[in-house]
């Protein structure tokens, strides 16, 4: 028993160290607040107001999340992080969770690769500067895997909440667990699951086969093209049932025994 506890403790330490090193968003889990403001974020209200406050009752992980209250009119309340230094050609994972069950608020992230603080690049603008998210059911994860363009040295990111069109005042959106990390430092080996096969592809039925040389239980997460998670589950007899997917293109993330791989999936 003693040996087991020691192993678990070391595993927990290693896991903490990896997370601390790899997440380049300070206080991305919204656990640290000073004088009512989230540490590491600069909050800018609209001329019509809007606030970002600590939520300890509604949250995705840890003990708190950020609660955005929409302005009473046009404009947005914004929470921005300091620009993150990036290395051109490295692959980064950008991910966060949000919950918008309010008819009176809509939100989005707003991000860019930059040559410097003054010069913005247009690479990945389709996903880094998206339209508004309106009304999710529960917490939703947004995830992108992106490669820093050749001239990029910085990544800029903020979250913006607006009053929903035709909405009343005081709409609410929650954000939590913001991550931005260099995949090379994540301790995750991409495409390293020996013999991985995902089929049929295109998929027309409900049963997706996910097989590998070891055929261990795999965690499967599926994202739509705007990065919203639409499925999460584990394989049973090397299959997952994905009957809730509508026709379209998806990204499938598969994890088996600490190794992760990504595949594109077309659903007919
Ligand atoms: Ca949190």
């Amino acid at each position: 028993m003693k040996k087991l506890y020691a192993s678990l403790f070391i595993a927990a330490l290693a896991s903490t160290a990896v997370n601390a090193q790899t997440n380049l968003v300070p206080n991305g889990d919204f656990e640290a607040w000073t004088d009512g403001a989230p540490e590491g974020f600069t909050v800018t209200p609209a001329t019509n107001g809007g606030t970002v406050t600590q939520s300890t009752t509604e949250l995705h992980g840890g003990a708190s999340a950020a609660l955005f209250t929409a302005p009473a009119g046009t404009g947005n309340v914004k929470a921005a992080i300091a620009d993150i230094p990036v290395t051109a050609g490295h692959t980064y994972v950008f991910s966060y969770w949000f919950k918008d069950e309010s008819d009176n608020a809509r939100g989005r992230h707003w991000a860019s690769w930059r040559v410097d603080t003054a010069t913005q690049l247009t690479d990945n603008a389709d996903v880094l500067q998206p339209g508004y998210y309106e009304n999710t059911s529960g917490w939703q994860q947004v995830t992108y895997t992106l490669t820093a363009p050749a001239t990029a040295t910085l990544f800029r990111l903020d979250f913006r909440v607006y009053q929903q069109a035709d909405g009343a005042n005081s709409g609410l959106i929650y954000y939590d667990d913001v991550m931005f990390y260099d995949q090379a430092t994540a301790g995750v080996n991409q495409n390293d699951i020996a013999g991985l096969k995902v089929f049929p592809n295109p998929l027309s039925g409900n049963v997706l086969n996910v097989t590998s040389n070891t055929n261990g239980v795999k965690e499967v997460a599926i994202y739509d093209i705007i990065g919203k998670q639409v499925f999460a589950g584990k394989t049973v007899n090397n299959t997952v049932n994905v009957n809730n997917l509508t026709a379209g293109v998806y990204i499938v993330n598969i994890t088996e025994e600490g190794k992760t791989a990504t595949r594109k999936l077309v659903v007919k």
Side-chain angles (χ1 to χ4, degrees):
M1 274 316 258
K2 235 178 201 173
K3 195 177 171 188
L4 175 63
Y5 285 132
S7 303
L8 287 174
F9 182 61
I10 289 163
L13 275 180
S15 153
T16 304
V18 165
N19 287 334
Q21 280 171 350
T22 56
N23 189 6
L24 300 172
V25 180
N27 194 35
D29 53 6
F30 292 108
E31 297 298 295
W33 294 74
T34 301
D35 298 331
E39 289 181 15
F41 289 80
T42 302
V43 175
T44 309
T47 52
N48 292 306
T51 57
V52 177
T53 57
Q54 185 176 17
S55 166
T56 55
T57 51
E58 181 59 63
L59 52 89
H60 178 261
S64 64
L67 167 57
F68 287 57
T69 302
T74 56
N76 62 69
V77 56
K78 181 165 88 173
I81 61 167
D83 288 347
I84 297 172
V86 296
T87 304
H90 280 214
T91 300
Y92 292 86
V93 177
F94 166 43
S95 164
Y96 66 91
W97 290 81
F98 76 107
K99 179 178 174 179
D100 172 7
E101 294 186 341
S102 166
D103 289 334
N104 298 325
R106 58 185 181 179
R108 56 180 161 185
H109 64 263
W110 197 260
S112 58
W113 301 108
R114 307 185 80 86
V115 176
D116 51 42
T117 54
T119 310
Q120 172 179 314
L121 295 165
T122 55
D123 302 71
N124 305 129
D126 54 332
V127 296
L128 293 179
Q129 301 177 351
Y132 304 108
Y133 301 127
E134 295 189 8
N135 292 31
T136 61
S137 175
W139 284 93
Q140 300 283 330
Q141 187 177 23
V142 174
T143 299
Y144 303 108
T145 302
L146 304 167
T147 301
T151 55
T153 67
L154 298 171
F155 183 77
R156 181 171 291 184
L157 168 66
D158 62 64
F159 294 93
R160 303 178 181 188
V161 169
Y162 307 71
Q163 186 175 90
Q164 193 163 321
D166 304 323
N169 293 340
S170 305
L172 306 176
I173 302 180
Y174 300 87
Y175 288 86
D176 205 353
D177 291 334
V178 182
M179 297 277 291
F180 184 85
Y181 62 88
D182 186 337
Q183 210 167 53
T185 69
V188 172
N189 296 318
Q190 281 286 320
N191 305 315
D192 203 13
I193 300 175
L196 180 67
K197 291 192 181 74
V198 179
F199 61 96
N201 191 2
L203 176 68
S204 51
N206 296 334
V207 177
L208 184 65
N209 297 278
V210 185
T211 64
S212 64
N213 288 356
T214 57
N215 274 337
V217 173
K218 298 170 187 63
E219 288 173 30
V220 178
I222 302 177
Y223 302 89
D224 67 17
I225 51 169
I226 68 155
K228 193 165 89 175
Q229 189 174 64
V230 293
F231 174 86
K234 290 183 178 179
T235 55
V236 177
N237 297 328
N238 300 316
T239 65
V240 286
N241 191 316
V242 291
N243 61 7
N244 58 340
L245 295 186
T246 53
V249 178
Y250 296 87
I251 301 297
V252 185
N253 279 324
I254 301 131
T255 304
E256 180 188 49
E257 296 170 356
K259 295 173 179 173
T260 296
T262 305
R263 293 288 185 274
K264 192 165 93 172
L265 174 69
V266 176
V267 175
K268 277 186 170 173

